[in-house]
């Protein structure tokens, strides 16, 4: 089945630093989504990408839908302590079923 | 606007017991899914539904049953709980291949 490889698995950074994480797949995805999960909560959408090559920003967050439709990245600029959490990439494949395939997650810790 | 509501939030079961995790959404979404989350493995799809009366298996369906009698509800049944089913379970709904909305999760421990 379709799989997403997300890296890095974890990051421990200083407040103010920029962060970059990415996801790759061996197959094409029609939608790329980036979620953040905080302890005890469900994932919450950060950015949705629907078109190959699309570059979208949401405040300090920027994400891109790779032109090959097999990858995506998320950048966080000037990190702050509340950025702590687990970040997931997720994608919809070719079938119109609403199924999401998730990456393994990137755990981000920010040192004040 | 409640979104996706899951109950219970916490549950402890003994091996062999059965139970139902409830999920309801009030957004009139066609598609609903159940995922389990284990450390370092992201969220894995258990079962999904593309509409009332239609369900299908995901990546890890064994030991779980679902039904979709209404658009709003999508319960997940554990037939005979096993320690390997200790996990956090999330229900999600979506209007299509767009954003999925998640419930707050059910933390299940099987002893």
């Amino acid at each position: 089945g379709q799989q997403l490889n997300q890296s890095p698995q974890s990051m421990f950074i200083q407040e103010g630093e920029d962060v970059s994480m990415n996801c790759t797949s061996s197959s094409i995805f029609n939608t790329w989504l980036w979620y953040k999960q905080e302890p005890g909560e469900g994932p919450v959408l950060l950015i949705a990408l629907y078109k190959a090559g699309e570059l979208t920003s949401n405040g300090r967050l920027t994400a891109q839908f790779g032109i090959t439709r097999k990858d995506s990245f998320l950048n966080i600029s000037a990190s702050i302590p509340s950025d702590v959490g687990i970040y997931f990439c997720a994608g919809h494949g070719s079938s119109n079923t609403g199924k999401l395939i998730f990456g393994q997650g990137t755990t981000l810790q920010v040192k004040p | 606007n409640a979104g996706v509501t899951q109950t219970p939030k916490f549950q402890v079961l003994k091996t062999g017991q059965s139970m139902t995790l409830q999920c309801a959404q009030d957004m009139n979404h066609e598609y609903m899914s159940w995922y389990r989350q284990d450390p370092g493995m992201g969220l894995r799809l258990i079962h999904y539904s593309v509409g009332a009366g239609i369900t299908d298996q995901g990546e890890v369906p064994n030991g779980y049953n679902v039904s979709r009698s209404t658009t709003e509800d999508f319960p997940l049944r554990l037939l005979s709980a096993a320690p390997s089913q200790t996990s956090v379970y999330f229900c999600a709904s979506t209007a299509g291949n767009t954003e999925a909305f998640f419930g707050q999760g059910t933390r299940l421990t099987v002893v």
Side-chain angles (χ1 to χ4, degrees):
Chain A
Q2 293 179 303
Q3 289 186 321
L4 290 180
N5 295 310
Q6 185 173 348
S7 63
Q9 278 193 329
S10 62
M11 303 181 75
F12 190 87
I13 62 171
Q14 197 78 29
E15 182 177 1
E17 289 183 352
D18 296 343
V19 172
S20 184
M21 57 193 79
N22 69 84
C23 275
T24 59
S25 171
S26 58
S27 54
I28 287 172
F29 280 79
N30 290 331
T31 307
W32 284 92
L33 306 170
W34 284 92
Y35 284 88
K36 179 186 179 185
Q37 185 181 29
E38 298 189 4
E41 302 290 330
V44 174
L45 185 73
L46 298 173
I47 293 179
L49 302 160
Y50 298 109
K51 190 176 175 182
E54 181 180 354
L55 182 70
T56 297
S57 293
N58 178 7
R60 294 178 295 105
L61 277 60
T62 302
Q64 184 158 31
F65 191 145
I67 196 71
T68 64
R69 296 165 64 193
K70 293 182 179 181
D71 63 305
S72 177
F73 71 75
L74 174 71
N75 288 342
I76 305 173
S77 63
S79 59
I80 59 178
S82 63
D83 289 335
V84 165
I86 304 176
Y87 292 79
F88 291 101
C89 63
H92 288 291
S94 55
S95 61
N96 187 25
T97 59
K99 291 193 300 181
L100 271 177
I101 307 298
F102 279 84
Q104 301 93 330
T106 296
T107 300
L108 178 64
Q109 296 179 319
V110 180
K111 184 177 180 183
Chain B
N1 191 357
V4 179
T5 302
Q6 284 184 241
T7 55
K9 288 192 175 180
F10 301 95
Q11 183 71 49
V12 178
L13 289 178
K14 293 183 179 178
T15 298
Q17 286 185 315
S18 62
M19 78 159 293
T20 299
L21 279 63
Q22 302 291 345
C23 177
Q25 54 97 3
D26 61 0
M27 296 172 282
N28 202 33
H29 285 166
E30 295 175 73
Y31 304 143
M32 296 185 74
S33 306
W34 275 102
Y35 297 85
R36 62 177 287 173
Q37 183 176 22
D38 301 295
M41 301 187 74
L43 281 78
R44 293 183 293 167
L45 183 65
I46 304 172
H47 285 285
Y48 66 99
S49 169
V50 299
I54 306 170
T55 64
D56 207 346
Q57 296 181 349
E59 182 185 357
V60 287
N62 292 340
Y64 308 95
N65 270 358
V66 292
S67 59
R68 185 99 179 268
S69 56
T70 67
T71 299
E72 294 79 17
D73 300 300
F74 191 42
L76 178 73
R77 296 183 188 85
L78 278 70
L79 309 172
S80 177
S84 61
Q85 293 179 304
T86 294
S87 187
V88 182
Y89 292 84
F90 287 100
C91 178
S93 77
T94 176
N97 280 1
T98 59
E99 173 187 1
F101 294 84
F102 287 85
Q104 285 198 310
T106 296
R107 188 173 295 273
L108 176 68
T109 302
V110 182
V111 297

